[in-house]
């Protein structure tokens, strides 16, 4: 019925699960490494460890961590120490997930001073389910 | 074309984003608190802190952490210490997300000895909000 | 010899070990919980969990975590989110260690914008060691 | 008096502070990285990141992390996943501290199934302690 006010509750699709997996990787990466002492000199080894660690997780095809050394240097310049604690503002991150033929690409980057995580694209492999071009 | 082998790439829908948010919360909860010293006596305060901390995150409606004291006691009995480090096997977790009218319920529980995170259900709020009064 | 330039290398005394244990607790507390989402509303449950978790560790008599809600509110006011990630500036911490009759009291508090950890006092119990043979 | 039951309370010496600093580094290293997904293939980058991160901290001269790939392989063989979460049993760690002329060497290694952290030696620079009264 057109005026049915009842919400539709469904099980998770493969696409839902792929997006969920992408989220897990971002939450894991962020909260595993938040607080790690980091300086321009140690930024590279931390980035590699973050990539390699999270790539171990299921459905994770690729993790790219680009340390923002500009922001590291700026934060250290305003501090009494010569390192800072890692947090999201110090890296741009891209993660590629592949789950049951669904590829999800997601990113973390600073927006309005807050490290925002977003899905960039979702790609469903093979012939599209509803054959969109055939209609 | 009917035989188009090209994958379909799309932007994220609200439903994708809601599932992504659910994953972020699980990854955050897990990797923020993995390694925390925990015993049967301290399990409750850790569970409350996990719930309250993750409920701060955007789109997070509710977090329920049920510590598995049976497994804590068992692990401690086989150890030379009187506490263990928190890891996923020591809690069952349920998280409720609400994002742009999409409600996602997800859980973590042990499956085959591995703490599996899964989406339980996705509920799309039926008729859009601004139609509700029209029925 | 009076002019002997050779450093003296010794094994650890009980006092050394007690100070070492105090340091372990501070490093553990700080790096386990750094990055935890925290707001004025969730600060208390996080403080209790930090205390209870670290008190599980060997030789740890007492942990007091006083959340600095003034600094939490100030940081949130300058942010686009309604919570922040926990870091040392948001708590004053006192830890009491007891190891082999040596009591160490140590604190963390902000100094020049940096959360400094320091030993406050070391108390050696009862009759001093070098009196033991004096019957 | 020989029978004085009053405990002796003192401020921290440089030696106390050096031992405290050594403890901070071990607690930090352990609880920052506990829970990190690790496999034999990613063990090296994690070890390097742990070393470089902790070497940023004050008074920290050197950190050596030797991943115990034998134990990683053994743990993975008994698991349904192809990685494990990092915990103390998977690494032998040595940390060298230098604070106000006091050098502390400390280690973490498995003892009775528990990753034990201990001070190995304390070296006081300059005139040795036991020569001080001889001048």
């Amino acid at each position: 019925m057109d005026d049915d006010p009842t919400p539709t509750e469904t099980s998770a699709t493969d696409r839902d699960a792929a997006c969920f997996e992408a989220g897990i990787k971002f939450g894991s990466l962020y909260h595993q490494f938040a607080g790690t002492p980091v300086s321009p000199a140690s930024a590279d080894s931390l980035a590699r460890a973050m990539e390699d660690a999270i790539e171990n997780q299921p459905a994770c095809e690729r993790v790219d961590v680009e340390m923002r050394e500009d922001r590291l240097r700026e934060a250290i310049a305003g501090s009494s120490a010569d390192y800072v604690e890692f947090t999201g503002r110090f890296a741009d991150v891209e993660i590629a997930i592949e789950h049951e033929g669904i590829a999800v690409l997601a990113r973390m980057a600073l927006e309005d001073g807050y490290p925002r995580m977003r899905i960039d694209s979702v790609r469903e492999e093979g012939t599209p389910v509803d054959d969109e071009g055939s209609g």
Side-chain angles (χ1 to χ4, degrees), chain A:
Chain A
M1 302 226 309
D2 286 343
D3 54 353
D4 183 0
T6 314
T8 310
E9 182 165 318
T10 55
S11 300
T13 64
D14 284 343
R15 180 171 174 139
D16 293 337
C19 294
F20 182 64
E21 289 295 330
I24 292 172
K25 274 62 182 170
F26 269 100
S28 299
L29 181 148
Y30 199 103
H31 287 274
Q32 183 61 60
F33 295 102
T36 305
V38 63
S39 61
S42 72
D44 271 355
S45 64
L46 182 57
R48 292 303 82 70
M50 292 169 78
E51 293 171 350
D52 292 354
I54 302 304
E55 286 178 358
N56 281 315
Q57 291 189 331
C60 191
E61 288 292 296
R62 181 175 51 80
V63 179
D64 280 327
V65 175
E66 187 194 346
M67 285 288 171
R68 293 296 303 257
E69 295 196 14
D70 52 336
R71 293 189 192 137
L72 282 176
R73 290 183 194 284
E74 189 179 57
I76 289 166
S79 157
S80 61
D82 52 4
Y83 67 97
V84 291
E85 294 170 31
F86 179 74
T87 185
R89 63 179 290 107
F90 295 125
D92 296 336
V93 180
E94 184 176 287
I95 297 181
I97 295 295
E98 176 93 30
H99 173 77
E100 300 290 339
I102 316 285
V104 177
L105 194 65
R107 297 179 195 278
M108 181 181 77
L110 217 57
E111 288 180 23
D112 300 325
Y114 181 87
R116 192 77 55 180
M117 302 166 186
R118 289 190 188 286
I119 297 178
D120 206 59
S121 66
V122 181
R123 199 184 62 205
E124 306 200 22
E125 295 287 352
T127 310
V129 169
D130 55 3
D131 275 355
E132 276 179 23
S134 71

